[in-house]
Amino acid sequence: GYARLDTHRALRTGDPEVVYGEGKSPAQVVEILGRLRAAHPDRPALATRLDAEALAAVAAAHPGALLDAQARCAALGDLPAPRGSVVVVAAGTTDAPVAAEAALVARVSGAGVRRVDDVGVAGLHRLLAVRDELDAADCLVVVAGMEGALPSVVGGLTGVPVVAVPTSVGYGAAFGGLAALLGMLSSCAPGVVVCNIDNGFGAGLFAARVARRAAG
Amino acid sequence: GYARLDTHRALRTGDPEVVYGEGKSPAQVVEILGRLRAAHPDRPALATRLDAEALAAVAAAHPGALLDAQARCAALGDLPAPRGSVVVVAAGTTDAPVAAEAALVARVSGAGVRRVDDVGVAGLHRLLAVRDELDAADCLVVVAGMEGALPSVVGGLTGVPVVAVPTSVGYGAAFGGLAALLGMLSSCAPGVVVCNIDNGFGAGLFAARVARRAAG
Amino acid sequence: GYARLDTHRALRTGDPEVVYGEGKSPAQVVEILGRLRAAHPDRPALATRLDAEALAAVAAAHPGALLDAQARCAALGDLPAPRGSVVVVAAGTTDAPVAAEAALVARVSGAGVRRVDDVGVAGLHRLLAVRDELDAADCLVVVAGMEGALPSVVGGLTGVPVVAVPTSVGYGAAFGGLAALLGMLSSCAPGVVVCNIDNGFGAGLFAARVARRAAG
Amino acid sequence: GYARLDTHRALRTGDPEVVYGEGKSPAQVVEILGRLRAAHPDRPALATRLDAEALAAVAAAHPGALLDAQARCAALGDLPAPRGSVVVVAAGTTDAPVAAEAALVARVSGAGVRRVDDVGVAGLHRLLAVRDELDAADCLVVVAGMEGALPSVVGGLTGVPVVAVPTSVGYGAAFGGLAALLGMLSSCAPGVVVCNIDNGFGAGLFAARVARRAAG
Amino acid sequence: GYARLDTHRALRTGDPEVVYGEGKSPAQVVEILGRLRAAHPDRPALATRLDAEALAAVAAAHPGALLDAQARCAALGDLPAPRGSVVVVAAGTTDAPVAAEAALVARVSGAGVRRVDDVGVAGLHRLLAVRDELDAADCLVVVAGMEGALPSVVGGLTGVPVVAVPTSVGYGAAFGGLAALLGMLSSCAPGVVVCNIDNGFGAGLFAARVARRAAG
Amino acid sequence: GYARLDTHRALRTGDPEVVYGEGKSPAQVVEILGRLRAAHPDRPALATRLDAEALAAVAAAHPGALLDAQARCAALGDLPAPRGSVVVVAAGTTDAPVAAEAALVARVSGAGVRRVDDVGVAGLHRLLAVRDELDAADCLVVVAGMEGALPSVVGGLTGVPVVAVPTSVGYGAAFGGLAALLGMLSSCAPGVVVCNIDNGFGAGLFAARVARRAAG
Amino acid sequence: GYARLDTHRALRTGDPEVVYGEGKSPAQVVEILGRLRAAHPDRPALATRLDAEALAAVAAAHPGALLDAQARCAALGDLPAPRGSVVVVAAGTTDAPVAAEAALVARVSGAGVRRVDDVGVAGLHRLLAVRDELDAADCLVVVAGMEGALPSVVGGLTGVPVVAVPTSVGYGAAFGGLAALLGMLSSCAPGVVVCNIDNGFGAGLFAARVARRAAG
Amino acid sequence: GYARLDTHRALRTGDPEVVYGEGKSPAQVVEILGRLRAAHPDRPALATRLDAEALAAVAAAHPGALLDAQARCAALGDLPAPRGSVVVVAAGTTDAPVAAEAALVARVSGAGVRRVDDVGVAGLHRLLAVRDELDAADCLVVVAGMEGALPSVVGGLTGVPVVAVPTSVGYGAAFGGLAALLGMLSSCAPGVVVCNIDNGFGAGLFAARVARRAAG
Ligand SMILES: Nc1ncnc2c1ncn2[C@@H]1O[C@H](COP(=O)(O)O)[C@@H](O)[C@H]1O
Ligand SMILES: Nc1ncnc2c1ncn2[C@@H]1O[C@H](COP(=O)(O)O)[C@@H](O)[C@H]1O
Ligand SMILES: Nc1ncnc2c1ncn2[C@@H]1O[C@H](COP(=O)(O)O)[C@@H](O)[C@H]1O
Ligand SMILES: Nc1ncnc2c1ncn2[C@@H]1O[C@H](COP(=O)(O)O)[C@@H](O)[C@H]1O
Ligand SMILES: [Mg+2]
Ligand SMILES: [Mg+2]
Ligand SMILES: [Mg+2]
Ligand SMILES: [Mg+2]
Ligand SMILES: [Mg+2]
Ligand SMILES: [Mg+2]
Ligand SMILES: [Mg+2]
Ligand SMILES: [Mg+2]
């Protein structure tokens, strides 16, 4: 009980507080997740950035929990009916964990979600083959590391709102995601917005909000 | 005619190409604006980042043009009927030009727009007084320089999607907008997305896309 | 005995030298702490940045020592009577170790101390609920990571001197505390001063000096 | 009247809003200064960062104004009686404008103020000669550019609270004040707090608050 | 005659020294260009980074000189017969001066040269339309500012060696070409090599060397 | 089978996709390598950035594989006949792993390869002794850490195209390869192009492309 | 008389204070130079970083002054007899002003001085031709911009102490001298020490001290 | 035998090559040290940056070797008679390893050496007490972390040449030695030269060269 939970948040913003697992013990994660679940009986409670040990602790304490090891997330409570659609697009296989976090968070936040993986700009035909899928979405989350060029190309192909997420994939001058971050912020495609490096959580939540509104 | 205009863009993305005035002569601005206008008779043609001289040249060549000196923009052609609503919030009076650019671009791109100025976090009562106006929007654009704290506070008050725009206002460790940019990317309020420093254009276009979708 | 202790420091500045535990063996910490205690019989001797092993070594060597595991500090000798009051405010639960260090150091340095935790700006009502407590202090230490917006909001609510401490909490564009540091230095609230990242020690000592003076 | 003045600020914090002259026209400065003066009849209204033209405009509009060309400031209204004492120490002659801004702001904010100039660490005897003056202050503002070593030396000589202000004086690896800023934040003297580069305003206001409290 | 010209360079490397006009007076440019011409009667002498005044001085002194105002270059002496082919591709119209410098330098260095302009990745069809032209080259120079994504896309379409040149086009997080530079260095397309920001000269010379070798 | 292999790449660019081992399990490396081998029966399949465990797994699964522990690479399938010649030059013994990666990749990509090691600029005679070897190459890869001066010296000695690769060798102000990277980009020798820090892979592939073309 | 001159400095360090002209009016330069001359009748008084106007003012006030326009310096009083020898080596013609400042300061500080210009590493034969001159010096000052490789090469040729001075010559990734600074600090030649960017003054003074001692 | 030793270096520069232990196996260190010893029978062979294992391997292979665990160095062969004197001054106890490396390297390189430890600027009396010792040296090496102010103070007290070495001691805004490095490069004391972060080796070698010359 050492945390001052912001249980009014769901009233103000429509989305409850979420457990950020980094730096918390498995026991703390389990406890706070339980308190959030109790405070919001009509919404799933969510924990992110869980290591294997924390995921196991959640599974043990809450047999019915939804666990996603790639996304490093756990959720307690029934998923809401999907409203609107989010498509999460990733450039390389190494970007998959961030894409998975975005997808899970968007789904838990009430949107329908699909994923399109491994469509980096060095092999454009892979992306061009899924153009219709992109156009059909209400909001796109585009995840890429290294030079982070994918959101610029996607943003030139479609008018669906694009939320870009740089990842820390790469080495040397990629500087842990900085190259991709600066590139996405400087995108020549108009109307691309950007989240923090590896922040699949923020992108997923934002995209769900846009998609829910689009669904009316 | 030296520029290879991307006149298909409106078909692909719903929004036509825009003249970026930086580094172009007044004559070039006038010429390209005219070509864009001709290519898209049903949509206003837009030019941004115009200095006083370029604004004057547009006014002289196109007496009916819409000119906005604070936003440094010009538009040719009737404004579309507003669909959905964007509210542009600015922290200080010095952030006004960026807010004005965002507002004009959102309006030209088909959204209804309102502005709320000078509501920086050092005087919270000013922001708390307009909470209902924030909640009523389909998308918020939040503009701030210096430490860029305003989007975090707004993002904690409402669940409307927040697009944060850092400005280059400030000195010393503000590093031309870098402090605000890093702060907005690291926001403790979930679901805040970020545009490039001083990029009112990108924020306005993105917000209009979200608002138009929300309007159904 | 390899260290040239500055035993005149208490005479010059009113506060004795302190053992900085980083990079010292438990035996070295115990030895220097003992020498400082002997040199300043009327003041507690203090050691900071102790790991679990060093804390245990101090406890074993000095059964009466005050140990604070969250603050990673140990003190030898009776605490002085409190003069003036310092309030240490922290944005998130992860900022607690830095807040604890600031609080303990302020208390050992002769001030009365209270803590207010988990009042980040994304849930403003938590902070607004403790305004009177803030106004009643002689000096505030405000601890925050990520975008570090809390000192700006506190600095707009009260005229009590605010010492801001950025923490290394956050990821990606938070750059290990850099985003919070730059933000606090660029604060739009006038009169906010800043310490090094994670430097609870410096903030606590400074605040105690201000509080002691205010107490007359 | 385009600015939403925060006229409650004096009630909340004890110090009224101040006109930041950068980027404002002389006419705007004169107008806002007048409005602030009217809103706070019992306190001087202050404008900072004024260029020569703005200073002249204030002088013309308000013959009784206090003008300080070195500090680039203007004040309207009688100075308050001094409570407590601030000493502003500067390392080199080129740091004088920042020291002057700090001194004027501290004086307008109600403290007594003295200045000690040109006592850089490369000639220590100059500083050692004024030790008593330093010890007698309630708060010190220490201004230095280049490597910014002066606050560390001052902080080792006295226990008076030290507010360090890095200046943009220097070239090359001084990086416009960055070397001094990082150095002051990393000071080996405990209890040094830091303001933004060239921010004499913030240092002066903070120091006056500490000094007023110390005066009881 | 103050410069110690490296007149052996053509013997060692096949390409003579070139006048770098930045920071040289028009008279100095004219004089050194004349000395280089005299030292290398069989090769054109080249000067780069000339402002309008220096270009005019060269034109006046050497009526037969080749002047390229967009490239800011001048050359004295007959152009060599073209061996091999270089194609210079540019993302936006604002990148044209750098592309022009690369093209002129490659031509003066003995390669055949073509330019393809305004084919940024936000409108892919423009690039896909010139794929055959890319494939037919012996070496490509790809010039782009902002996020600098073009070389990654080109490098995925063709196996012709790609020399990427970031430009200083862009604002904010583009940081004067840094975003494009880091992105190009981190390109997901294998085998892209990079020149300094705005260094059309180096790219053109390198590409000509590759093309001349390919021509056998 | 989770990866969407770009098996068309060899058709478009002449070089097939390569397994980037970083962050992949030994089993994944073995599986993707096998798929690439099957897709390109006429070309060796290549994996880079393999740790000892992954190298062992490849050796176990494919007894005929070519393993290079210094280069941390494995290749499956007969090496192509060498066309053209690449010389890989390294400044210090610590740069050898990057040089080895470049050499192996160039060889697998169809070029003949030689290595020249430990010829740093602090002992010039070592480099001057191999000038003929440099001049005889079709493309040079020059690998150096610390200040990265070697490409400038090599680029002044020969007109063979120089591809510079900075390494992360060094400490302090070398900043993990940044000093060498910036130095190589700013080289005073004209026509030096640069790869990412430690990117022997990219340099080797690029050099092989140039060498193959030079061989006609 | 606003400056607190450190007239004891010559007694403590053997070298008197020097006027740093940046940011001082011509009248101030003339006045302080006169005061320094009066305080040190046996040593020349020196002013550096003078613009054309300040140089003219010194010439007018002190007809016998030594003026060096390339070095931007002025000296009053007879030059001391030379003791020991300093050689100042510069990479390119654009580095000449920094080399000139170093040479003049070393000479005024009592050493004999020679200059060797335009011997950048891209044309090594120019440097190898002056090896004897380098070996004969008591201290070398090596000045270079761009990648700053020259001190590494010189430091490998001779055991004479090398003081490296990076200059702000270059563009793009040279970052105003940063590339050369980092490179010189990371030099693979042992025993190279470094001054600030463009700091010919510091290098000249240091070298003169070493040379004077070497002369016994 | 994989390393191409530069055995001519002692002839050219007076000091033989040295084994840099970082990244070398104990066996490699032992082997290269033996080869250097054999190549230079009249001079001690030196290895630096050795971990405990490498030190033990040297001790086992060469029972007469000089081992310095604090400096992490080993030397083989009789120490030369000391010529001239170097004093190594360190700010804090944590800087001792770098000071030890500088001292040992200077001694092995033929100078007499003394150390003065723990004299940081926050307790000036400790430094003032050893002024005569500083003045008596032929060259000073001044080692400091955090803000790195000590060389500025030392450089103002004495005219002996000062070689400053920043250390990576400190946290947060010290950025691994960057604050100290920038501060030392920007020192207000004239004639301070700087080595790379933690580079005791380079400082010791340089200082020995200066001291040997001063000894005539
Ligand atoms: N010199 C200064 N440096 C930093 N902030 C200042 C300065 N002068 C005034 N301010 C702040 O800027 C606010 C006014 O901003 P504005 O509304 O844009 O005029 C004041 O209330 C102060 O908080
Ligand atoms: N535009 C350019 N960008 C970079 N380097 C250049 C350029 N033009 C000429 N150079 C180089 O600068 C050298 C001449 O330098 P300088 O002796 O200062 O005129 C030439 O030999 C080229 O190596
Ligand atoms: N050592 C390396 N450095 C940089 N890129 C590489 C390296 N090895 C392989 N790659 C690239 O990474 C791609 C494969 O990425 P992935 O699909 O994540 O395995 C290959 O097609 C290459 O373009
Ligand atoms: N501690 C050190 N710091 C920096 N450079 C060193 C150090 N020790 C040795 N060196 C340099 O590294 C060279 C040897 O490098 P290597 O051939 O890789 O062993 C020596 O000749 C020295 O120039
Ligand atoms: Mg892939
Ligand atoms: Mg305001
Ligand atoms: Mg919380
Ligand atoms: Mg002075
Ligand atoms: Mg275009
Ligand atoms: Mg070697
Ligand atoms: Mg030259
Ligand atoms: Mg100590």
Side-chain angles (χ1 to χ4, degrees), chain B residues 4-122:
Chain B
R4 193 184 296 233
L5 285 187
D6 180 8
T7 45
H8 298 194
R9 189 178 295 182
L11 286 180
R12 294 194 315 274
T13 73
D15 296 292
E17 207 177 342
V18 167
V19 187
Y20 176 63
E22 211 85 65
K24 298 207 171 68
S25 68
Q28 289 176 324
V29 169
V30 167
E31 190 240 297
I32 309 183
L33 199 56
R35 283 165 62 197
L36 282 176
R37 178 74 190 126
H40 303 285
D42 54 329
R43 291 285 304 264
L46 178 65
T48 67
R49 304 263 166 157
L50 305 181
D51 55 22
E53 220 184 327
L55 282 167
V58 173
H62 303 282
L66 168 67
L67 300 181
D68 184 329
Q70 192 184 38
R72 299 180 48 200
C73 292
L76 281 192
D78 293 342
L79 289 177
R83 292 170 52 211
S85 80
V86 170
V87 173
V88 179
V89 183
T93 52
T94 333
D95 302 313
V98 177
E101 188 188 49
L104 187 96
V105 171
R107 183 67 196 87
V108 166
S109 302
V113 180
R114 305 194 50 173
R115 283 180 59 184
V116 175
D117 278 329
D118 211 5
V119 290
V121 300

Side-chain angles (χ1 to χ4, degrees), chain F:
Chain F
Y2 60 90
R4 192 183 298 232
L5 286 188
D6 180 7
T7 45
H8 298 195
R9 189 181 295 183
L11 285 179
R12 294 194 315 275
T13 74
D15 297 291
E17 204 175 345
V18 167
V19 186
Y20 177 61
E22 210 84 66
K24 297 204 171 69
S25 68
Q28 289 176 324
V29 168
V30 167
E31 190 239 297
I32 309 182
L33 198 57
R35 283 166 63 197
L36 282 176
R37 178 74 190 124
H40 303 286
D42 53 329
R43 291 286 305 262
L46 178 65
T48 68
R49 304 264 165 157
L50 304 181
D51 55 22
E53 221 184 326
L55 282 168
V58 173
H62 303 281
L66 169 68
L67 300 182
D68 185 329
Q70 192 184 37
R72 298 181 50 200
C73 291
L76 279 192
D78 293 341
L79 291 177
R83 291 170 53 211
S85 80
V86 170
V87 174
V88 179
V89 184
T93 53
T94 331
D95 302 312
V98 178
E101 189 188 47
L104 187 96
V105 171
R107 182 67 196 86
V108 166
S109 302
V113 179
R114 303 193 53 173
R115 283 180 58 186
V116 175
D117 278 329
D118 212 5
V119 291
V121 301
L124 274 184
H125 56 291
R126 300 176 295 188
L127 184 69
L128 297 176
V130 297
R131 270 183 78 165
D132 289 351
E133 205 168 337
L134 304 181
D135 270 332
D138 291 310
C139 192
L140 296 171
V141 173
V142 183
V143 180
M146 305 175 96
E147 86 278 54
L150 189 58
S152 292
V153 172
V154 170
L157 290 177
T158 177
V160 177
V162 172
V163 180
V165 188
T167 70
S168 52
V169 168
Y171 60 85
F175 289 123
L178 184 66
L181 174 65
L182 298 184
M184 290 170 177
L185 288 164
S186 304
S187 175
C188 64
V192 169
V193 296
V194 186
C195 285
N196 194 3
I197 298 165
D198 291 335
N199 188 6
F201 165 70
L205 177 57
F206 184 93
R209 288 179 173 178
V210 170
R212 289 182 336 220
R213 262 155 224 275

Side-chain angles (χ1 to χ4, degrees), chain B residues 91-94 118-120 126, chain D residues 3-6 9 17-18 24:
Chain B
T93 52
T94 333
D118 211 5
V119 290
R126 300 175 296 187
Chain D
R4 193 184 296 233
L5 286 188
D6 180 6
R9 188 180 296 183
E17 205 175 342
V18 168
K24 298 204 171 68

